[in-house]
């Protein structure tokens, strides 16, 4: 059994760690990581794992390679499983070889999990293939910083494409050496910084112009340098940094448990997402109404679900009672919108009614049209739901029972980080996916702060009710989604 595993974390995009690497990360007792590892990956470590940062970037002291080796060996000798998480691939200028040798010397069993190296991935995300038929039949990965020197090796290899890692500081020297050996001044060059991440930046030029271009763009490390004709392919092969929401920073105020579909949707479109939940969702410790109703569920003509949380917590309760979807019997099921429909379908229930537009008024109207008058209706919702649904149904002559299954509580864990970014002008959009996210946002940031900073960002609301609440709270939306769905919200931002 290996006790130390050198794992390639990939170049930054968290989707680019290997499946094997992910498994090791998830199970390790200790995770030793450095500066180029995307910190988001660490959320996959065990909650009780020891996380040890050994990178060079944060502050004055950084561990020497000997000290890092010692950490790995000590922990392994304590019987711990150690995941040594390294940016890109562990054996591509990652000093992984040295760490593996240290394990060998100490007779500690080790394993290597290769990673996606930035040398190939960062150019790829910039639209630059490192080889290309006819133009580039070879590529070489070269350090811009040898052990002895802040410089490239004296003899730079003669490959068609050259990729220099750790070379930003040595750029003038690299350019000079290539020109000296006869490379054309017009030879294309690109620098890619933070490749594959939301912050990716690319500067393109030629051997002759690249230093000026880099100075103008104020581009800094960590970046790599690509030299060769393949750089020109970026004009046509650019795909990552030209997506519709590229360059836009979007705040998501939804509770973390619910945010993932919106966060992923926005990221796929190229946005940088700042999660700023202002509420979190929690099951109710006691659900007396639901407990009493479940055995009698079939007496209700309609069971109404007003959110995906309602669905999740309803089925959790069912499961605890060792029951399943058969409790619905002949009862009909209504869902407020597409996400709630999807949550139900995942559990084997195909809703009988979904309103055109996802608001409570339309649910009530639709059920009354379908003969809800005089019938029993059970509404599964949050403790603090909107009253309008039951009011309308009761006015229409239905007999309504409300079964709260979860509640929302304030969550201020992301507020400070978002506040700082908004104040610095780094945020383009704040999105609201429900009235409660608007109210909680204002409660968390304060009325005065909102009024003073409203001009720093644009507001996007998921639907008319949320938009109305936003107007009442001084956050008049710049765009409103045409339909209450994540896709429609993203589409509104794109427009
Ligand atoms: N083992 C790593 C490389 C470590 S050397 C790998 O396989 O990717 C560190 C250098 O890699 C940095 O100085 C920079 O030149 C390059 N680098 C690493 N990640 C990068 C990224 N996301 N974008 C651009 N360059 C990166």
């Amino acid at each position: 059994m290996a006790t130390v595993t050198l794992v390639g974390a990939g170049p930054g995009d968290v989707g680019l760690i290997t499946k094997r690497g992910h498994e090791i990360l998830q199970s390790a007792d200790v995770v030793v990581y450095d500066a180029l590892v995307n910190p988001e990956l660490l959320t996959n470590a065990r909650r009780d794992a020891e996380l040890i940062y050994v990178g060079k970037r944060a502050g004055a002291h950084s561990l020497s390679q000997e000290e890092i080796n010692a950490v790995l060996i000590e922990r392994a000798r304590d019987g711990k499983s150690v995941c040594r998480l390294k940016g890109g691939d562990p054996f591509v200028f990652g000093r992984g070889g040295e760490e593996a040798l240290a394990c060998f010397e100490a007779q500690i069993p080790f394993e290597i999990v290769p990673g996606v190296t930035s040398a190939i991935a960062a150019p790829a995300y910039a639209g630059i293939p490192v080889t290309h038929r006819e133009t580039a039949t070879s590529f070489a990965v070269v350090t811009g910083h040898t052990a002895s020197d802040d410089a490239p090796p004296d003899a730079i290899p003669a490959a068609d494409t050259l990729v220099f890692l750790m070379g930003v500081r040595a750029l003038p020297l690299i350019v000079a050496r290539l020109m000296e050996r006869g490379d054309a001044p017009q030879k294309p060059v690109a620098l890619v910084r933070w490749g594959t991440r939301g912050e990716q930046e690319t500067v393109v030029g030629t051997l002759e112009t690249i230093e000026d271009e880099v100075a103008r763009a104020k581009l800094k490390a960590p970046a790599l340098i690509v030299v060769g004709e393949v750089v020109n392919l970026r004009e046509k092969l650019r795909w990552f940094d030209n997506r519709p929401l590229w360059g836009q920073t979007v705040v998501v105020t939804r509770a973390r448990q619910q945010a993932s579909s919106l966060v992923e949707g926005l990221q796929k479109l190229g946005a940088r997402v700042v999660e700023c939940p202002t509420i979190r969702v929690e099951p109710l410790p006691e659900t007396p109404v639901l407990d009493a109703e479940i055995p009698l569920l079939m007496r209700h003509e309609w069971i109404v679900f007003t959110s995906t949380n309602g669905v999740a917590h309803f089925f959790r309760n069912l499961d605890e009672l060792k029951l399943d979807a058969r409790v619905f019997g002949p009862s009909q099921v209504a869902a407020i919108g597409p996400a709630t429909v999807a949550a139900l379908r995942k559990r084997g229930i195909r809703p009988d009614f979904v309103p055109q537009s996802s608001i409570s008024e339309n649910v009530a109207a639709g059920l009354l049209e379908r003969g809800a008058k005089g019938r029993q209706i059970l509404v599964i919702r949050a403790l603090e739901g909107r009253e309008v649904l039951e009011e309308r149904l009761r006015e229409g002559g239905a007999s309504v029972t409300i079964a709260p299954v979860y509640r929302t509580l304030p969550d201020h864990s992301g507020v400070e980080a978002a506040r700082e970014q908004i104040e610095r002008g780094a945020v383009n959009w704040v999105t609201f996916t429900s009235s409660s996210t608007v109210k909680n946002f204002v409660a968390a940031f304060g009325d005065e702060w909102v009024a003073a900073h409203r001009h720093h960002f644009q507001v996007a609301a998921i639907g008319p009710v949320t938009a109305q609440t936003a107007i009442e709270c001084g956050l008049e939306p710049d765009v409103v989604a045409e339909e209450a769905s994540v896709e429609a919200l993203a589409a509104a931002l794109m427009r």
Side-chain angles (χ1 to χ4, degrees):
M1 280 277 286
T3 42
V4 174
T5 310
L6 305 188
V7 175
D13 179 335
V14 291
L16 294 180
I17 188 171
T18 62
K19 194 154 177 266
R20 175 96 183 114
H22 192 253
E23 282 164 12
I24 301 282
L25 172 60
Q26 277 184 318
S27 63
D29 298 318
V30 182
V31 179
V32 181
Y33 66 102
D34 25 51
L36 285 173
V37 169
N38 188 336
E40 225 182 293
L41 274 179
L42 300 172
T43 58
N44 297 304
R46 262 174 29 210
R47 216 184 271 244
D48 61 341
E50 184 188 8
L51 304 180
I52 305 176
Y53 177 76
V54 295
K56 312 239 153 72
R57 246 162 266 277
H61 183 71
S62 65
L63 295 189
S64 68
Q65 189 60 52
E66 289 65 36
E67 289 170 313
I68 296 173
N69 297 350
V71 167
L72 301 180
I73 287 161
E74 262 168 41
R75 295 301 191 283
R77 288 210 168 123
D78 285 347
K80 303 274 168 60
S81 58
V82 181
C83 169
R84 171 65 173 117
L85 195 59
K86 303 172 80 71
D89 179 89
F91 282 176
V92 177
F93 298 122
R95 304 186 73 170
E98 292 166 57
E99 293 173 12
L101 276 174
C103 291
F104 170 80
E105 306 290 349
Q107 296 186 316
I108 304 281
F110 62 90
E111 262 180 40
I112 314 297
V113 180
V116 173
T117 179
S118 65
I120 296 172
Y125 272 53
I128 304 170
V130 290
T131 72
H132 192 63
R133 213 149 67 101
E134 282 161 18
T135 19
T137 55
S138 61
F139 72 95
V141 182
V142 186
T143 177
H145 182 107
T146 48
S148 54
D149 217 349
D150 212 2
D154 293 332
I156 295 175
D160 292 329
T161 304
L162 296 172
V163 180
F164 293 90
L165 302 189
M166 302 178 282
V168 178
R169 221 168 333 147
L171 180 64
L173 212 55
I174 291 170
V175 167
R177 293 224 175 130
L178 291 175
M179 304 257 256
E180 263 163 39
R181 78 167 190 197
D183 284 14
Q186 292 77 32
K187 197 169 201 185
V189 183
L191 273 81
V192 185
R193 177 175 201 249
W194 283 131
T196 78
R197 290 213 199 178
E199 303 95 317
Q200 177 172 311
E201 267 178 88
T202 302
V203 174
V204 179
T206 62
L207 280 178
E208 206 166 26
T209 64
I210 194 68
E211 286 172 66
D212 288 344
E213 298 291 349
V214 166
R216 191 168 317 142
K218 299 198 175 73
L219 192 91
K220 298 207 169 56
L224 52 71
I225 305 166
V226 193
V227 183
E229 293 304 321
V230 288
V231 168
N232 288 337
L233 288 164
R234 170 171 161 81
E235 270 175 42
K236 289 185 180 153
L237 298 189
R238 208 172 154 175
W239 63 275
F240 179 70
D241 55 2
N242 60 356
R243 289 169 302 162
L245 295 181
W246 181 256
Q248 298 284 303
T249 296
V250 182
V251 171
V252 169
T253 54
R254 209 170 218 195
R256 276 191 213 279
Q257 297 97 321
Q258 279 187 294
S260 63
S261 63
L262 179 57
V263 171
E264 282 161 22
L266 292 169
Q267 282 170 342
K268 270 202 194 116
L269 293 167
R272 196 174 76 86
V273 175
V274 177
E275 279 195 63
C276 176
T278 54
I279 51 176
R280 66 193 160 85
V281 174
E282 217 179 59
L284 287 175
E286 313 257 321
T287 51
V289 179
L290 187 68
D291 297 349
E293 292 300 329
I294 280 181
L296 314 167
L297 210 63
M298 290 184 205
R299 80 188 172 96
H300 296 280
E301 180 82 12
W302 287 95
I303 320 288
V304 183
F305 291 92
T306 62
S307 70
T308 55
N309 281 313
V311 176
H313 291 288
F314 175 87
F315 277 88
R316 207 180 52 97
N317 280 36
L318 263 197
D319 198 50
E320 276 170 12
L321 294 168
K322 299 201 165 53
L323 293 169
D324 61 33
R326 283 172 293 181
V327 294
F328 285 94
S331 303
Q332 302 193 76
V333 175
I336 195 160
T340 309
V341 171
L344 283 163
R345 290 196 59 176
K346 239 201 274 176
R347 291 159 176 95
I349 300 292
R350 191 183 282 269
D352 303 282
F353 172 64
V354 192
Q356 282 288 333
S357 143
S358 309
I359 54 176
S360 301
E361 286 80 348
N362 295 355
V363 178
L367 294 189
L368 290 170
E369 269 167 33
R370 284 165 180 73
K373 185 171 178 197
R375 301 300 170 94
Q376 303 273 350
I377 297 180
L378 181 66
V379 178
I380 310 293
R381 66 157 165 81
L383 190 59
E384 48 288 279
R386 285 182 78 212
E387 308 282 317
V388 57
L389 176 59
E390 52 262 36
E391 279 167 14
R392 291 287 164 90
L393 285 170
R394 282 188 185 126
E395 282 161 19
S399 161
V400 184
T401 308
I402 302 295
V405 288
Y406 67 97
R407 62 181 164 187
T408 56
L409 297 170
D411 175 2
H412 290 178
S413 60
V415 168
E416 279 323 307
R419 187 196 300 274
E420 184 268 324
Q421 296 197 49
I422 291 173
E423 288 177 359
R424 173 150 75 69
V427 168
N428 303 92
W429 293 95
V430 177
T431 57
F432 294 109
T433 51
S434 65
S435 290
S436 65
T437 58
V438 179
K439 289 184 195 145
N440 287 294
F441 182 86
V442 175
F445 286 78
D447 282 334
E448 282 174 24
W449 185 93
V450 168
H453 294 87
R454 176 65 189 86
H455 60 283
H456 283 250
F457 54 84
Q458 291 183 282
V459 171
I462 201 164
V465 178
T466 307
Q468 187 54 40
T469 310
I471 293 170
E472 286 158 18
C473 294
L475 285 163
E476 185 164 349
D478 298 278
V479 300
V480 181
E482 275 175 4
E483 155 200 307
S485 72
V486 163
E487 293 74 23
L489 186 63
L493 293 191
M494 282 197 282
R495 276 201 302 280

